[in-house]
Amino acid sequence: MLDKKVAELLNQQINKEFYSAYLYLDFANFYQSKGLDGFANWYQIQAQEEKDHAMLFYQYLHNNNGTVTLESIDKPDKQFTNLCDPLKAGLEHEEYVTSLIHNLYAAANEVKDFRTMQFLDWFVKEQGEEETNANNLITRFELFGNDPKGLYMLDSELKARVYTAPSLVL
Ligand code: FEO
């Protein structure tokens, strides 16, 4: 039986992950409108991964006799004035998601819910990778993105990203 607060936070995380998917789809939308299909591809795949994250929380709750309540998803409302803005917003967002996962981990730890802590271990590691990827994108954009040829090459590189299903299976 899941603790009430832990169950609530797990349910909220479904919404947060779907919001992340929606946010990254909005980033893809921005880049597509600028003719940068590689950046758009990167964020479309990112959006798919976020949907996977949401479904892992959904399935974990069901597997543990929890109740899933789907709430409305906020409208992505970031405003972008230059091509690097979504990359910076992406890093900021991942740092926020890391704080949510850590908060959830702390709540599970408080009630000695070792099963949820073990489930969350994958997300703790994943958040480290998400932040590294977001940081790397900013660094590479700052190095190459302000030169048209460099931007073209970066866009071509990001076009090569392919979707892979999450390594965590429930
Ligand atoms: Fe679901 Fe980007 O973390």
Side-chain angles (χ1 to χ4, degrees):
M1 186 78 181
L2 286 164
D3 167 76
K4 190 165 172 282
K5 184 182 173 193
V6 170
E8 269 174 26
L9 290 173
L10 286 166
N11 191 71
Q12 277 173 28
Q13 198 61 31
I14 297 173
N15 187 274
K16 300 288 184 187
E17 300 290 347
F18 275 124
Y19 172 76
S20 300
Y22 214 32
L23 181 69
Y24 290 140
L25 188 59
D26 199 38
F27 289 10
N29 179 35
F30 169 78
Y31 284 120
Q32 198 125 22
S33 74
K34 301 288 181 196
L36 291 167
D37 293 351
F39 283 84
N41 174 59
W42 177 276
Y43 280 112
Q44 279 179 23
I45 290 171
Q46 197 65 32
Q48 277 178 284
E49 284 194 357
E50 298 301 351
K51 184 174 155 275
D52 290 338
H53 295 171
M55 292 309 295
L56 286 167
F57 282 98
Y58 168 95
Q59 198 56 52
Y60 182 78
L61 267 168
H62 276 296
N63 289 358
N64 289 279
N65 293 318
T67 303
V68 170
T69 307
L70 297 178
E71 305 291 350
S72 41
I73 300 165
D74 290 342
K75 178 182 163 73
D77 60 354
K78 307 262 187 223
Q79 300 297 322
F80 308 126
T81 52
N82 69 57
L83 294 175
C84 194
D85 285 348
L87 309 182
K88 290 178 180 164
L91 175 61
E92 198 180 302
H93 182 68
E94 287 304 333
E95 287 170 346
Y96 167 64
V97 175
T98 297
S99 75
L100 295 175
I101 298 290
H102 288 185
N103 190 36
L104 189 38
Y105 203 103
N109 187 38
E110 188 141 344
V111 294
K112 295 189 167 55
D113 179 353
F114 301 115
R115 188 186 300 167
T116 298
M117 287 159 72
Q118 194 172 49
F119 165 68
L120 290 170
D121 279 340
W122 184 86
F123 284 93
V124 171
K125 188 162 174 279
E126 173 73 7
Q127 281 312 121
E129 288 170 16
E130 296 275 63
E131 287 186 30
T132 300
N133 288 340
N135 254 314
N136 286 347
L137 275 179
I138 294 169
T139 304
R140 279 162 48 227
F141 188 92
E142 285 171 349
L143 280 170
F144 310 116
N146 295 311
D147 162 69
K149 211 183 276 180
L151 182 62
Y152 178 78
M153 290 185 70
L154 198 49
D155 191 57
S156 302
E157 189 188 316
L158 296 180
K159 205 178 284 184
R161 182 182 186 188
V162 290
Y163 168 74
T164 46
S167 53
L168 177 64
V169 179
L170 295 179

